[in-house]
Amino acid sequence: MAEPKTKYDRQLRIWGDQGQAALEKASICLLNCGPTGSETLKNLVLGGVGSITVIDGSRVEIEDLGNNFMLDESSVGQSKAKCVCAFLQELNDAVKAKFVEESPEALIETNPSFFSQFTLVVATQAQYVLSMIENMQKGARSYDKGKILTLRVVSFLLDLHQGSFESMGRFELVEASLLRLDRICRQANIMLICARSYGLTGLVRISLKEHTVVESKPDHFLDDLRLNNPWPELKRFAESIDLNTTDPVVHKHIPYVVVLVKIADDWAQAHSGRFPSSREEKRAFKELIKSKMIALDEDNYKEAVEASFKISAPQGISSSLHQIINDHSVEVDSTSSDFWVMVGALKEFIANEGNGEAPLEGSIPDMTSSTECYVNLQKIYQAKAEADFLAVEQRVRSILKRIGREPNSISKASIKNFCRNARKITVCRYRPIEEEFNSPSLPEMQKYLNDEDCRWLPIAIGFYILLRAVDRFAANYNRFPGIFDGELDEDIPRLKATAQAILNDLGCNGSTLMEDLTNDMCRYGGAELHAVAAFVGGVASQEAIKLITKQFVPMTGTFIFNGIDQKSQLLIL
Amino acid sequence: MAGSLTTSSGDGGNRWRDLDRLLTRPGNIVGPTFDPSPELRSELQQYVRVLVVGAGGLGCELLKDLALSGFVNLEVIDMDRIEVSNLNRQFLFRLQDVGKPKAEVAAKRVMERVKGVNIVPHFCRIEDKDLDFYNKFNIIALGLDSVEARSYINAVACTFLEYNSEDKPDEDSMKPMVDGGTEGFKGHARVIMPGVTPCFECTIWLFPPQVKFPLCTLAETPRTAAHCIEYAHLIKWDEVHGGKPFDADDPEHMQWVYSEAAKRAELFGIPGVTYSFTQGVVKNIIPAIASTNAIISAACTLEALKIASGCSKTMTNYLTYNGLEGLHTKVTEFVRDKDCLVCGPGTLLELDPSTTLQKFIELVGDHPKLQLSKASVTHRGKNLYMQAPPVLEEMTRSNLNLPLYELMDKVPKDVVHVAGTVNKDDKKTSALRKLRVVFKGIDGVTDMDTANGA
């Protein structure tokens, strides 16, 4: 067996060859390789992405060794991007690892088209801003000692001298470049993930216009069995089987799907076409199933009782699918993606051949049955799925023709896959980061913050406010709160006032932020703990994999890591 | 080593600057014992010993995370050797390491990168170590993929737990554990404070036994690819190879099962038998990815740091993680099983002072709750009878005919540890149990709460 297949065996069982091929084609760009960014890339390199490009203009300092595994003693003084890149390359020689020794801010400012070569950009916080300020403050005595430090201080003082620091505010620049990067990536259709660790908290946020998923692979999803709405072939098959057979071996090998279709039909005939809906009716229905048993060991009937709730599965499509087929993107033209062309065909199918239903999935779960009966039943479901697929395919081809595209430009396999997953397709959309910053829609936050009775503020929401507060604090004071032991006491009320101002801006006037949490935020002093970075980096890499493979559903909203009681939250903002 | 223990930053900088912010400054959302000071980290480094059980996907991450969270004295135990299929997540291993013991390579790699950390590897089974070995650790971090191994380590950690006369757990005897587990995009992280939060056994129902296919389905009515594979693996192999044990790690054996399964599938018109799927079914392969392991290990490490330093409130007590659809985390506060055989004060056995050790071992085997066969018995660290190794068995055999009361230095009541095997789900597994032995008719027994004998 080929080595890569074995190497990736445990993940191929999750995202398959297609998912792996997508990863191997992907090129990832990392901005700033502190522990959060380095850990993110580590997980992606292990998984076998095509290439990584690490962008960081800073040099390794002693402090970096306390939280970044990619760096060691020999790295001190060298380019951080180069060192991190070298370690990552060691992890997987199938990955092309590159680095650019430049500050991400400068690159965003001077060379925006640079980013269009990537599949996905991971933006993490710049640590060096923190270090620079710190170093500057103790600069006087460090100036003529440590060589590296000297260089750093000199370059920093130069910046200062040129007035860039004081006039613009170094931190505002950082925030401004993130917003600029978001605009660049959206324009070029590059996926962006922001990840940040700060003390015992952190944040992960995806930004792109739209992400569509065919293979959402949900954990629990009701089988598509159509027990209360059998199509003619299934009905005929059920009719061909006699539930009253006296042969005990045959009786206990009738698959529960057949048992349920038949008993549900009997029930509906006795109840003017309705299926069991109330609790009593559902109980009576189960009793009816049990009454047909002729021996105690009939597993098929036990399965029928357990699966009897499937009789009450709502007919027609789910509300989320309804929303998708009525989305404005369904009015397709030559610029539409394959996904939306297929959604257009799906919508037509549901309104016509489907009689209000999506194409049949075509697979059935395992159930007690004779082999022959099970295989025949499986064929009936497969045949219906195939017929539905052909109808959808025809509609896809004619839509493609109508919008001036080559009718065969979407492959049979893609359409088949789409049909098999039609009930589970998902569309994720993300607001520009700037919009979230300026006018967050805060239903969850408001709910907690404006509740007079709720004196206890959920920690995750508090952290979100405070993460924004430390940035605003930094814009005002040119450093994060709590960096210096001596100023800790002054910083706490300052941060509290800043957080309160943010709450006021958000229209959450009546709320008081949890005092203890603000104190804690000052205590962190901008620290990046390795364990927090590993968690946040883990989440960021997981989301990157979901976006690149187009499998599973990426998170929508802003993920706030809560390292205090581990009650992390996804805020819809 | 000396360098890493210094707390002053000096002009050269302080490697642990970020960690020190949390350890040196007071806070209000912290553990009850938190005593912030510049010395806290060096105390952590000097006195706290952490054992990492398992050097696989979670173990590699745990070692790295612990080493970068200020822990210096680490040991790791794992009986496995590195395989190619580990490399997509076990980032301490390289292709050229395949075949080497995981524990040894993992320890070496972390020590190479994190100066000052000391990791002692143990390339052996967890059952090979005695209680004294486990007792020297302050925290045990579990990165395992089997219920049996978790259960075993949990029982080991719980044997050290002592209860005072009011049946309250004694804090000094408590051996905290952090436990992680992953499967694909899902995982859990938990904190176990024996005697306070539920131990692994209290909530064993969280890990239901694996569902097996009925043999008659395999033999008579196969319907799925898995049925065909298990037929070839469990029935056909023995029929054809009579007596020769099947080895899942032998590619020839696996190939044989695959081709038999494929033949059967074709005969019955069943799709889906592939070589990879055959391996998955036969070896019960659990899908695993780097990101989930990173997330779960990080959560465990953070909790270990909190336990050791008190620098923040700890999680209570069970985190479930699901990254399949969006991202869901949930913290559940499970409660202890008051009757737990493992973390409770111990099963009470009232004995006649004349009961011999042999008789005692029989009683333990017949006891309805214990059913511990082939028991080895220790009292206060002294081996009264050992089933293995043969040398020890021979040395302790003469004790079998002596009264237990005498072997226990004539104390009227005390805790005795027994190790043996129990049958669970038709599988023999190693188990450790704590017994409270009380000798009838001996003074001092009256104050014992015999009603609370679970």
Side-chain angles (χ1 to χ4, degrees):
Chain A
M1 197 180 292
E3 182 254 306
K5 265 248 187 251
T6 316
K7 181 163 84 180
Y8 298 133
D9 179 82
R10 297 303 185 267
Q11 65 197 46
L12 287 171
R13 292 173 191 276
I14 299 180
W15 50 69
D17 293 336
Q18 284 205 320
Q20 189 62 33
L23 280 179
E24 287 169 17
K25 267 204 296 245
S27 53
I28 315 286
C29 170
L30 172 70
L31 303 185
N32 294 317
C33 57
T36 309
S38 300
E39 289 294 315
T40 307
L41 276 198
K42 179 203 79 191
N43 301 330
L44 292 172
V45 166
L46 289 167
V49 293
S51 75
I52 55 160
T53 304
V54 180
I55 298 170
D56 195 312
S58 66
R59 295 191 167 264
V60 181
E61 295 176 19
I62 293 283
E63 284 81 1
D64 294 319
L65 308 187
N67 60 14
N68 195 334
F69 193 74
M70 318 293 144
L71 306 170
D72 64 12
E73 310 275 315
S74 67
S75 322
V76 176
Q78 298 194 54
S79 153
K80 202 190 280 182
K82 182 181 143 203
C83 297
V84 166
C85 191
F87 181 81
L88 290 170
Q89 182 68 81
E90 246 185 67
L91 297 182
N92 192 344
D93 55 15
V95 176
K96 278 196 222 69
K98 292 172 274 189
F99 68 96
V100 177
E101 216 184 314
E102 195 173 336
S103 112
E105 285 79 11
L107 210 51
I108 292 166
E109 197 61 39
T110 60
N111 193 4
S113 63
F114 173 82
F115 296 97
S116 53
Q117 61 182 299
F118 300 107
T119 316
L120 184 144
V121 175
V122 179
T124 65
Q125 76 252 50
Q127 280 179 304
Y128 69 95
V129 176
L130 178 69
S131 309
M132 275 175 136
I133 290 155
E134 219 178 337
N135 291 338
M136 189 199 67
Q137 304 243 357
K138 60 182 179 193
R141 72 190 157 92
S142 307
Y143 192 81
D144 48 345
K145 290 193 178 172
K147 239 192 302 179
I148 304 130
L149 208 56
T150 308
L151 279 171
R152 298 284 311 283
V153 171
V154 168
S155 75
F156 188 78
L157 291 174
L158 275 173
D159 273 0
L160 197 63
H161 189 69
Q162 287 159 1
S164 63
F165 189 94
E166 273 168 335
S167 61
M168 289 191 69
R170 189 76 198 178
F171 284 84
E172 266 176 277
L173 182 71
V174 172
E175 187 182 295
S177 35
L178 178 64
L179 300 184
R180 198 179 150 87
L181 175 70
D182 190 29
R183 282 195 294 274
I184 295 167
C185 289
R186 278 173 181 264
Q187 197 126 48
N189 273 322
I190 310 296
M191 304 187 270
L192 174 65
I193 297 178
C194 307
R196 178 181 194 184
S197 309
Y198 193 105
L200 290 174
T201 186
L203 174 152
V204 182
R205 206 253 204 214
I206 294 171
S207 187
L208 70 151
K209 279 187 230 156
E210 179 184 278
H211 180 71
T212 56
V213 190
V214 174
E215 292 176 82
S216 61
K217 301 187 173 177
D219 221 354
H220 303 286
F221 210 80
L222 199 57
D223 314 297
D224 195 8
L225 295 177
R226 311 278 165 96
L227 300 176
N228 56 18
N229 189 16
W231 63 97
E233 289 79 7
L234 178 59
K235 221 172 171 155
R236 263 203 299 283
F237 181 73
E239 277 161 8
S240 74
I241 292 169
D242 182 10
L243 281 195
N244 298 319
T245 175
T246 50
D247 182 339
V249 176
V250 173
H251 196 264
K252 71 181 213 184
H253 283 105
I254 302 171
Y256 82 73
V257 162
V258 173
V259 172
L260 285 177
V261 165
K262 290 179 85 89
I263 299 181
D265 188 45
D266 289 351
W267 175 283
Q269 283 184 21
H271 292 82
S272 50
R274 291 184 310 105
F275 292 100
S277 60
S278 70
R279 266 175 81 178
E280 290 86 73
E281 283 179 332
K282 284 178 185 171
R283 197 178 309 131
F285 185 73
K286 284 184 189 173
E287 289 307 317
L288 185 61
I289 300 169
K290 284 185 204 162
S291 72
K292 308 268 179 187
M293 290 172 82
I294 58 170
L296 281 173
D297 67 338
E298 295 191 306
D299 288 335
N300 55 337
Y301 280 86
K302 288 177 198 161
E303 289 168 4
V305 170
E306 262 169 51
S308 64
F309 71 95
K310 294 179 185 173
I311 279 296
S312 316
Q315 294 188 4
I317 59 171
S318 68
S319 60
S320 58
L321 185 55
H322 187 264
Q323 214 176 335
I324 294 173
I325 63 170
N326 289 302
D327 191 276
H328 60 86
S329 300
V330 96
E331 308 301 330
V332 291
D333 58 35
S334 60
T335 63
S336 299
S337 66
D338 288 359
F339 177 86
W340 285 109
V341 169
M342 290 191 281
V343 173
L346 173 65
K347 184 178 186 173
E348 290 178 11
F349 174 87
I350 292 169
N352 295 285
E353 302 91 335
N355 288 319
E357 297 280 357
L360 186 78
E361 212 166 291
S363 57
I364 55 173
D366 182 33
M367 61 192 82
T368 298
S369 164
S370 67
T371 302
E372 191 195 357
C373 197
Y374 182 82
V375 169
N376 287 337
L377 188 63
Q378 217 171 20
K379 281 183 186 153
I380 285 167
Y381 275 85
Q382 280 163 356
K384 163 77 170 152
E386 179 71 14
D388 286 357
F389 151 69
L390 289 172
V392 173
E393 188 193 15
Q394 209 159 35
R395 293 189 175 275
V396 170
R397 308 272 175 241
S398 64
I399 290 175
L400 285 171
K401 206 167 159 189
R402 194 178 74 219
I403 60 176
R405 279 181 59 182
E406 162 59 36
N408 289 318
S409 59
I410 301 180
S411 73
K412 240 180 174 21
S414 296
I415 303 171
K416 201 163 234 174
N417 192 36
F418 181 86
C419 287
R420 206 177 296 132
N421 292 287
R423 295 186 309 147
K424 305 166 192 168
I425 56 172
T426 306
V427 176
C428 302
R429 293 198 173 112
Y430 302 87
R431 307 171 76 195
I433 297 175
E434 189 164 15
E435 237 176 70
E436 178 193 318
F437 277 8
N438 295 336
S439 58
S441 63
L442 301 160
E444 284 185 57
M445 201 178 294
Q446 300 271 6
K447 192 171 65 198
Y448 290 110
L449 293 178
N450 289 340
D451 183 355
E452 294 281 319
D453 297 329
C454 183
R455 290 190 59 82
W456 179 78
L457 178 80
I459 290 174
I461 290 172
F463 270 144
Y464 176 76
I465 303 278
L466 285 166
L467 279 169
R468 294 194 50 187
V470 294
D471 284 347
R472 198 179 281 190
F473 182 107
N476 289 335
Y477 296 94
N478 293 327
R479 60 176 175 82
F480 285 126
I483 288 211
F484 303 110
D485 289 330
E487 285 184 56
L488 205 50
D489 290 342
E490 286 95 333
D491 283 354
I492 292 173
R494 285 173 185 156
L495 181 63
K496 203 179 153 191
T498 313
Q500 195 54 53
I502 288 174
L503 285 170
N504 292 346
D505 291 353
L506 297 175
C508 305
N509 299 332
S511 51
T512 42
L513 253 186
M514 202 158 59
E515 198 119 334
D516 293 342
L517 202 57
T518 312
N519 287 2
D520 233 42
M521 203 70 176
C522 283
R523 176 162 84 110
Y524 305 154
E528 248 188 303
L529 300 179
H530 180 77
V532 175
F535 194 109
V536 171
V539 170
S541 58
Q542 166 190 288
E543 295 307 307
I545 285 167
K546 292 198 272 187
L547 289 172
I548 294 166
T549 59
K550 291 196 142 225
Q551 293 180 25
F552 308 98
V553 182
M555 60 190 201
T556 39
T558 301
F559 173 74
I560 300 292
F561 174 68
N562 166 1
I564 294 181
D565 56 16
Q566 302 272 12
K567 291 179 183 164
S568 302
Q569 253 179 312
L570 204 49
L571 304 177
I572 311 300
L573 301 167
Chain B
M1 188 89 179
S4 72
L5 289 175
T6 58
T7 49
S8 70
S9 58
D11 291 336
N14 168 19
R15 171 173 203 161
W16 302 107
R17 176 196 64 196
D18 286 30
L19 179 65
D20 281 352
R21 295 227 158 102
L22 265 96
L23 299 183
T24 58
R25 297 164 166 193
N28 298 330
I29 323 174
V30 295
T33 58
F34 185 47
D35 183 13
S37 78
E39 290 77 42
L40 184 55
R41 179 169 46 81
S42 45
E43 282 169 20
L44 201 75
Q45 291 171 328
Q46 276 176 307
Y47 304 117
V48 180
R49 311 183 74 85
V50 183
L51 173 67
V52 174
V53 186
L58 288 165
C60 285
E61 286 281 337
L62 284 168
L63 286 170
K64 169 199 66 144
D65 293 351
L66 289 164
L68 287 177
S69 297
F71 294 96
V72 163
N73 301 302
L74 303 172
E75 302 198 14
V76 58
I77 181 165
D78 195 308
M79 62 184 274
D80 285 338
R81 292 175 183 274
I82 297 161
E83 293 177 29
V84 175
S85 64
N86 301 147
L87 302 178
N88 80 321
R89 60 197 187 285
Q90 299 175 16
F91 69 97
L92 296 173
F93 310 142
R94 312 281 174 264
L95 195 56
Q96 61 270 25
D97 299 323
V98 169
K100 295 180 192 160
K102 286 185 176 182
E104 288 169 13
V105 177
K108 179 174 143 259
R109 285 276 142 74
V110 175
M111 284 196 288
E112 275 167 10
R113 300 203 69 83
V114 186
K115 199 177 155 194
V117 73
N118 184 35
I119 307 178
V120 182
H122 303 275
F123 171 47
C124 62
R125 290 154 33 96
I126 49 178
E127 293 92 338
D128 294 345
K129 294 288 179 185
D130 59 15
L131 288 179
D132 285 344
F133 169 79
Y134 290 105
N135 202 14
K136 66 183 180 194
F137 300 101
N138 308 88
I139 298 175
I140 302 179
L142 285 76
L144 294 162
D145 59 3
S146 101
V147 175
E148 290 79 16
R150 279 197 188 90
S151 206
Y152 185 83
I153 295 288
N154 177 68
V156 168
C158 289
T159 54
F160 303 119
L161 182 65
E162 286 171 18
Y163 282 81
N164 64 19
S165 54
E166 287 152 19
D167 267 1
K168 291 269 182 322
D170 168 30
E171 257 182 59
D172 292 334
S173 69
M174 215 178 272
K175 208 162 286 299
M177 284 173 278
V178 290
D179 169 49
T182 72
E183 179 173 351
F185 281 103
K186 293 192 267 186
H188 80 261
R190 73 191 294 184
V191 175
I192 298 177
M193 295 286 198
V196 179
T197 68
C199 80
F200 185 71
E201 219 64 40
C202 291
T203 53
I204 191 78
W205 49 270
L206 287 163
F207 297 82
Q210 216 200 322
V211 189
K212 288 181 200 144
F213 302 120
L215 283 180
C216 61
T217 297
L218 302 186
E220 286 155 27
T221 56
R223 300 175 297 270
T224 67
H227 292 159
C228 300
I229 293 162
E230 284 296 60
Y231 171 80
H233 168 218
L234 300 173
I235 298 173
K236 194 76 193 267
W237 176 272
D238 280 341
E239 273 176 25
V240 174
H241 297 88
K244 183 172 154 193
F246 174 79
D247 176 9
D249 291 324
D250 185 329
E252 273 180 38
H253 290 196
M254 192 62 80
Q255 185 63 43
W256 187 89
V257 168
Y258 161 63
S259 57
E260 283 300 314
K263 268 189 245 166
R264 188 165 173 84
E266 202 186 335
L267 181 70
F268 285 96
I270 296 167
V273 174
T274 63
Y275 185 79
S276 162
F277 188 62
T278 304
Q279 280 184 308
V281 171
V282 171
K283 296 172 115 176
N284 186 27
I285 293 177
I286 296 161
I289 50 177
S291 56
T292 317
N293 283 322
I295 291 164
I296 293 300
S297 305
C300 289
T301 302
L302 198 54
E303 293 308 316
L305 177 62
K306 292 180 196 175
I307 292 168
S309 70
C311 72
S312 185
K313 206 172 112 179
T314 50
M315 167 184 86
T316 46
N317 42 42
Y318 197 108
L319 170 75
T320 40
Y321 176 86
N322 189 344
L324 218 50
E325 244 186 302
L327 194 162
H328 297 277
T329 60
K330 189 173 189 291
V331 177
T332 312
E333 188 170 356
F334 285 114
V335 290
R336 284 185 64 211
D337 174 2
K338 292 276 174 288
D339 295 328
C340 181
L341 284 178
V342 177
C343 70
T347 308
L348 185 72
L349 276 188
E350 277 188 283
L351 303 174
D352 193 274
S354 64
T355 313
T356 61
L357 182 56
Q358 175 83 56
K359 178 76 187 156
F360 172 75
I361 290 171
E362 285 165 26
L363 281 172
V364 167
D366 297 337
H367 191 283
K369 276 190 186 164
L370 299 169
Q371 299 196 336
L372 203 68
S373 54
K374 292 204 171 165
S376 297
V377 184
T378 55
H379 174 243
R380 302 223 162 256
K382 194 171 86 184
N383 295 327
L384 302 187
Y385 179 70
M386 300 302 283
Q387 302 271 359
V391 190
L392 269 182
E393 198 278 332
E394 208 182 314
M395 277 169 63
T396 54
R397 196 185 301 155
S398 58
N399 285 343
L400 286 173
N401 295 321
L402 298 175
L404 182 62
Y405 180 55
E406 274 175 35
L407 288 168
M408 286 170 64
D409 299 325
K410 299 193 177 179
V411 290
K413 55 169 190 179
D414 210 348
V415 171
V416 170
H417 292 123
V418 288
T421 55
V422 288
N423 272 323
K424 216 171 89 185
D425 309 319
D426 294 331
K427 233 158 94 187
K428 275 199 191 332
T429 55
S430 309
L432 266 175
R433 294 289 179 259
K434 186 163 66 180
L435 305 183
R436 286 196 296 177
V437 171
V438 178
F439 295 103
K440 283 185 268 192
I442 307 287
D443 286 344
V445 178
T446 40
D447 64 335
M448 189 116 186
D449 181 14
T450 47
N452 189 19

